[in-house]
Amino acid sequence: DTGVSQDPRHKITKRGQNVTFRCDPISEHNRLYWYRQTLGQGPEFLTYFQNEAQLEKSRLLSDRFSAERPKGSFSTLEIQRTEQGDSAMYLCASSLSSHEQFFGPGTRLTVL
Amino acid sequence: AQTVTQSQPEMSVQEAETVTLSCTYDTSESNYYLFWYKQPPSRQMILVIRQEAYKQQNATENRFSVNFQKAAKSFSLKISDSQLGDTAMYFCAFSAGGTSYGKLTFGQGTILTVHP
């Protein structure tokens, strides 16, 4: 299967620790998106890349959050000094330009 | 900024019957797209149907169709001949067109349960 994959699927960390998530998009997709979804809510846009360029960041993305997409392939989302409010599902999606977004299974983060 | 509102937290329907999920949105954009996404329990989100705002004709995909009322800023999803596999959380979503296309704003979701 060559869908969007995310790693890890689950992450439990202690408050104050740093965490990093990885997203591997569908290989020919030039756009990659990150969303955050809290329980019972719709996903909220965090940021997106076109190839390696980060084109937009949400105000939700505080200074503790950073995302990269080196070489326009996989992407990483790092959260520094995690807080309990960071607990959520982090979703990655990819698309070929303005076509359908395909979502990954998500990384569920729990901050204790 | 765009907002998307789904006023039905939960809906249920009997297998083979028809159900309609509601969605309203607010935007000042003239070029935009609307979507319905399905998120089955513990599974990935998938696109159900897409509507371009400039098209007057309502989109249809097999058993799924929309009622797009542009002036009222309403975008409902009708599921005909409901199947057990339709049980999922359904999200209405908005995207502006042009260079902002793809940045999705989601509603709060509607949990749909299809009963046998």
Side-chain angles (χ1 to χ4, degrees), chain A residues 11-94:
Chain A
K11 178 71 177 178
I12 299 174
T13 191
K14 293 182 179 179
R15 184 163 53 94
Q17 298 295 305
N18 299 343
V19 294
T20 300
F21 310 140
R22 176 180 171 122
C23 171
D24 286 274
I26 294 172
S27 60
E28 65 269 23
H29 285 186
N30 58 345
R31 290 194 179 183
L32 187 148
Y33 304 82
W34 285 99
Y35 295 87
R36 180 171 67 187
Q37 185 178 20
T38 52
L39 199 61
Q41 299 296 314
E44 297 172 296
F45 170 81
L46 293 179
T47 188
Y48 91 97
F49 295 83
Q50 178 148 313
N51 301 312
E52 65 275 11
Q54 188 174 18
L55 296 188
E56 189 168 342
K57 291 170 55 173
S58 166
R59 286 169 292 178
L60 292 173
L61 217 61
S62 75
D63 292 345
R64 298 183 297 104
F65 288 71
S66 62
E68 295 182 341
R69 193 184 182 196
K71 303 177 184 177
S73 56
F74 71 92
S75 176
T76 58
L77 178 68
E78 181 184 15
I79 309 174
Q80 296 182 326
R81 305 181 303 281
T82 52
E83 302 173 356
Q84 288 185 326
D86 297 330
S87 294
M89 177 75 86
Y90 289 83
L91 298 172
C92 175
S94 71

Side-chain angles (χ1 to χ4, degrees), chain B residues 41-115:
Chain B
S42 301
R43 295 185 63 185
Q44 286 154 253
M45 187 148 0
I46 58 174
L47 178 66
V48 175
I49 200 165
R50 180 178 98 156
Q51 173 79 43
E52 294 88 345
Y54 62 85
K55 288 187 178 179
Q56 292 187 333
Q57 186 172 7
N58 289 325
T60 62
E61 285 289 340
N62 301 313
R63 299 182 295 107
F64 299 88
S65 62
V66 298
N67 183 4
F68 175 45
Q69 300 290 325
K70 191 171 183 178
K73 295 182 178 174
S74 168
F75 183 62
S76 61
L77 175 70
K78 185 172 82 171
I79 306 174
S80 304
D81 186 25
S82 297
Q83 300 175 0
L84 296 179
D86 294 334
T87 293
M89 176 82 99
Y90 286 81
F91 292 100
C92 179
F94 171 102
S95 172
T99 56
S100 293
Y101 182 84
K103 173 188 166 186
L104 296 173
T105 300
F106 287 87
Q108 305 92 320
T110 297
I111 299 172
L112 175 67
T113 304
V114 180
H115 297 285

